[in-house]
Amino acid sequence: MVPLIQSGMRVIVPFGKGKFYTGIVESIHNHPPRGYEVKAIVHIPDSKPVVRHPQLNMWRWMSDYYLCSPGDVMRAALPAGLKIESESNVEVNPDMEADEAAAVLTDKELTIWQTLESKGRLSVAKLEKETGVKGLTARVSRMVEKGAIIVSEKLVERFRAKTETFVRLLVPRGDNEAMRKAFEAVRGARRQEQMLQTLMALSKFTAVTGKPEAVSRSALLEKCGSTTPILQALAKKGLVEVYKKQVSRFGFEGQEQGELPQLTQTQQSALGDIHKSFIDHNVTLLHGVTSSGKTEIYMHLIDYVMQQGRQALLLVPEIALTTQLTKRLQKVFGRRVIIYHSRFSDNERVEIWQRMLRSNEPCVVIGARSSVFLPFARLGLVIVDEEHESSYKQFDPAPRYNGRDCGILLASMHGAKALLGSATPSVETYWKATNGKYGLVTLTERYGNMQLPQVRVVDMNVARNRRLVTGPFANETVDAIRCVVSKDRQAIVFHNRRGYAPVATCRQCGFTPKCEHCDVSLTYHRRLDRLVCHYCTASYALPEVCPVCGTPSLSILGYGTERLEENLEEALPGMRLLRMDLDTTRNKDSYSQIIDSFSERKADVLIGTQMVTKGLDFDAVGIVVVLDADAVISYPDFRSAERAFNMLEQVAGRAGRKDEAGEVIVQTRTPDHPVVQHVLTHNYGAFYALELQQRRQYFYPPFSRLIYVYIKHKDPRVADDLARCYADDLRRQLGNRVTGPQEPVVGRVQNLYIRRIMLKIEPAVSMKQIRGILREVYTGMFRNRDMRAAVVYYDVDPY
């Protein structure tokens, strides 16, 4: 293997007794490790590396910074289709006869044995499906001990290249004698003759110049209205060759116009300022109000980079945004636009990975946070759109990374520039920009000199006291929606709760159904007619009577997007409604279907969760309604004000983007709250100044770096004890930088009780030093036997 193996290659390595997994070669050296047995590499599946050197450097950095193992990073980075693993297969032991099996096996074990005898070797998953026996793993183990079956391991590679059947004409072009013989061979066979003529036309066989093209079998059969046996007859006569070849799963069928959008004078000035900023800064913030035309500037920057033969990455916070952005960019850049996100299948993601690995071609990748892991060869620019979005943060599992920060790091490792774009930048980013660490370019005008939407605050306390409320809507809100739609414009209703209703409760005794595995109340979904836990996805039947007091008085309280849709249908009969939330966008194409339908004016009102707040561009939206601003503002977190301002300002920006000014209605019970007042005037500067003052006072980012230490255990008392000991050990080394432990908002998830310790670390302190302290404390905690059953992990920059 010595002359074959290289850094960045995949290797198959043994784990345990007979299990095999994919590993990546990090480096090659001549220093044998000590203290443990070195296992042999079993197989090298590739002739070339699948990971580039800058990627390995980035994996190391992420492992160190986000306090996780390199394996966690590798698992997140590589598409599942590139991770070859062994699969357990089960077969009968040929030494055991049927009568012997009947004597030693239980009834269910005998069913398993008989299934294997008739079907042959099966994977454990297929065996469970064939037999319908639950808890199969334990039964298989007992059957192995009895000598009834044998378990073996088989390496399984998930990726399958897409192939398509093509047809090539074997008659030499320009050889009239060969042509005459070909038609002589099909004389009297009318359908064969017709297929031969169709193939000549499709392959451009009769053209004067150019090489004849192979034609896909499906296109040929469809064009001539024939069947496969007719094609096989031509192949037997030696007139055509039928063969398979690998094809891409992705195709751009539109027209590449190649023309960049015209920039206004303001946009052109901002573009020039960005280029100037890149001279002195590797990272620049583009602070532009909503609908100021930041995307058009992105396109000019991408074109500039590709003209230099380099690649660009455009990060977006939500998969939904890729739909509109992709169409806009494909009109200019055509096939050079590559989309990458987690909704793609394993095979699709591997194909994109391999395309980036094989080719150095100039291109632009549009993707969610996982696209920072792609193997770029000549990266020249990273653009992070809506850089403030919390969606860039990966919460579970490890690595708990921020796509924005990793995008900036990725750019620096390739010697590229990074541009952060937002109408409402995060406090940390704006602080760095105003203090000179990042460049700063501002866009204060909307495209076409459109005015920012007028914001109207509806005091729901007053409206309810005056009985001017219908369900969750104030009457003036319903009237405003009706008025806008009557003028042939559209409306967006934003409410950050999905499902039908967030809580069910007994009117008699106050009982509220909760998840058996998590400390959260259950959300009612009317379409499913089930109570669902939004943390572990467990679902329960809605009780007909209260299980505590036995009375049939269980009521559904509150409103989710599903119930809002029903409520609006009653309040605004005949109005066409669409809903966009996690429940309606589970399929890969659901986002684009909903967005296209609304863009094409097939609906009057779009009801949605935070998905509708993020960068979507609709021409005809005249009004945006924020149903319950208080739910966003009052969340118990130091970032709640920032998130609330960003979300409200962003959703407000969906209104009045073309032709006419828009309106925003914010329903709230606290109209005097500072966040609401700043949204009312679209005053980001005033909000930022107030927020920065509070952050400085309480030593929160950007004046500190936060690290959360989570301890989970199935016993709440043990979780408390472990967390208390852990915090005490940390305080001995870090002093008053340690806060807690405390129980988070949701204190139990999937039967594990959670405790959290917060570290506030000065930005100048080395993360390597902090990692060493955390590792030392973690190792020392194993003096406590309860630690063996505990789960401990870290969340760095938990925002």
Side-chain angles (χ1 to χ4, degrees), residues 90 111-113 115-116 122-133 136 140 149:
V90 187
T111 300
I112 295 170
W113 191 88
T115 302
L116 289 171
L122 293 174
S123 69
V124 174
K126 288 181 179 177
L127 180 60
E128 186 167 330
K129 187 176 180 181
E130 288 284 343
T131 60
V133 176
L136 196 67
V140 165
I149 59 175

Side-chain angles (χ1 to χ4, degrees), residues 106-157:
T106 65
D107 290 343
K108 287 191 176 179
E109 290 173 350
L110 190 60
T111 300
I112 295 170
W113 191 88
Q114 290 169 344
T115 302
L116 289 171
E117 189 179 39
S118 61
K119 298 283 186 179
R121 180 186 297 176
L122 293 174
S123 69
V124 174
K126 288 181 179 177
L127 180 60
E128 186 167 330
K129 187 176 180 181
E130 288 284 343
T131 60
V133 176
K134 301 299 181 184
L136 196 67
T137 305
R139 295 184 190 278
V140 165
S141 297
R142 286 195 292 269
M143 292 175 70
V144 170
E145 291 173 4
K146 293 176 182 179
I149 59 175
I150 299 170
V151 178
S152 59
E153 295 295 318
K154 176 186 174 185
L155 287 175
V156 177
E157 184 162 11

Side-chain angles (χ1 to χ4, degrees), residues 506 508-509 511 544-554:
C506 177
Q508 194 73 20
C509 69
F511 166 75
E544 294 183 4
V545 297
C546 174
V548 174
C549 66
T551 59
S553 53
L554 216 60

Side-chain angles (χ1 to χ4, degrees), residues 708-711 723 739-744 754-758:
Y708 287 162
V709 182
Y710 286 95
I711 293 119
T739 305
Q742 63 183 36
E743 185 177 337
I754 308 168
R755 301 297 179 262
R756 188 181 74 193
I757 302 165
M758 180 170 66

Side-chain angles (χ1 to χ4, degrees), residues 692-711:
L692 195 68
Q693 177 186 341
Q694 293 178 347
R695 299 279 185 92
R696 182 181 283 109
Q697 182 179 353
Y698 296 105
F699 195 51
Y700 276 110
F703 304 104
S704 67
R705 174 183 292 136
L706 290 190
I707 302 173
Y708 287 162
V709 182
Y710 286 95
I711 293 119

Side-chain angles (χ1 to χ4, degrees), residues 220 319 504 610 620 779 789:
L220 176 62
I319 296 169
Q610 59 179 345
T779 305

Side-chain angles (χ1 to χ4, degrees), residues 546-590:
C546 174
V548 174
C549 66
T551 59
S553 53
L554 216 60
S555 296
I556 303 298
L557 301 179
Y559 290 85
T561 49
E562 191 179 352
R563 191 174 190 181
L564 287 184
E565 188 177 20
E566 180 184 282
N567 192 273
L568 272 180
E569 284 175 347
E570 295 174 2
L572 301 167
M575 215 161 268
R576 300 167 300 168
L577 307 178
L578 271 176
R579 177 161 57 94
M580 187 161 78
D581 54 29
L582 187 62
D583 299 317
T584 61
T585 56
R586 293 191 183 278
N587 297 328
K588 185 174 70 173
D589 299 324
S590 303

